[in-house]
Amino acid sequence: LHLFMEKTPEGERYQYVCGRTDIQAAQMCGFKQPDGKCVLFINDVYGINSLGESLRQVLSGFGGKQLLVMIWHPSLMQLMDHFHLHRPPLVWPSLGTTLAKYYVRKEADALFVDFEGASSADFVTEKVTGALNAGTPLVCVNVLPEQERDYVSLDIRAKTG
């Protein structure tokens, strides 16, 4: 975020505003945004009602607005990770992408993509950039937790004895 805001010409046109609560962040999404674009960084403890309110405020009407939602999941890989949240996570996998599908008029009005780590970085970047350039109203990136990234799923059959 720092590199974007301070080191790029595009970042100079934007202002970073942090909501202290999910309700406040939802309300701020409805404000007039530069170029009609808004980015919402949330974690999986972001309130389900607040996410719906954020989506409704930005996507209602015919203003040509865009919303990029980045859903981050705590990894819970260290003991302390289990205690720093003020309430438990919604569910895994994230309910956010499922909920967001109800706030767009048609399938072409949204892009839903999972960031699965370094192996999918180029693919995700290409899809998100293409959707934003095409004016897709909702772009939702689900950043998978550490334990779900960059692994190979094997379906094996083993015989013993």
Side-chain angles (χ1 to χ4, degrees):
L1 180 63
H2 170 73
L3 290 175
F4 172 74
M5 297 295 293
E6 304 294 329
K7 307 287 185 193
T8 66
E10 296 87 4
E12 293 175 3
R13 300 185 335 197
Y14 293 88
Q15 177 183 12
Y16 174 71
V17 181
C18 179
R20 297 182 82 90
T21 66
D22 50 1
I23 296 168
Q24 188 179 40
Q27 292 167 341
M28 289 189 299
C29 273
F31 291 165
K32 180 145 178 60
Q33 304 293 338
D35 300 329
K37 298 179 186 215
C38 180
V39 180
L40 180 62
F41 292 96
I42 63 174
N43 59 25
D44 67 343
V45 295
Y46 191 78
I48 190 97
N49 294 322
S50 297
L51 178 57
E53 187 67 13
S54 301
L55 294 167
R56 185 190 62 74
Q57 285 194 46
V58 175
L59 299 175
S60 63
F62 299 97
K65 297 181 198 170
Q66 285 183 298
L67 175 61
L68 170 61
V69 179
M70 304 285 290
I71 302 174
W72 165 79
H73 300 276
S75 61
L76 304 179
M77 301 293 269
Q78 298 175 357
L79 181 63
M80 189 60 198
D81 295 338
H82 293 270
F83 297 99
H84 78 285
L85 301 173
H86 66 285
R87 63 177 178 241
L90 291 173
V91 291
W92 173 249
S94 175
L95 194 58
T97 53
T98 303
L99 174 70
K101 292 176 184 177
Y102 292 100
Y103 286 86
V104 291
R105 291 181 175 89
K106 58 186 185 291
E107 195 173 323
D109 284 350
L111 169 71
F112 297 98
V113 64
D114 288 336
F115 175 76
E116 299 174 350
S119 61
S120 69
D122 292 337
F123 171 77
V124 171
T125 302
E126 180 182 323
K127 295 296 266 181
V128 169
T129 303
L132 293 175
N133 290 339
T136 305
L138 176 63
V139 178
C140 187
V141 180
N142 191 28
V143 181
L144 299 181
E146 256 180 271
Q147 70 269 14
E148 297 292 326
R149 291 188 217 152
D150 292 321
Y151 73 90
V152 177
S153 178
L154 299 175
D155 184 15
I156 66 166
R157 184 173 171 198
K159 184 175 180 181
T160 59

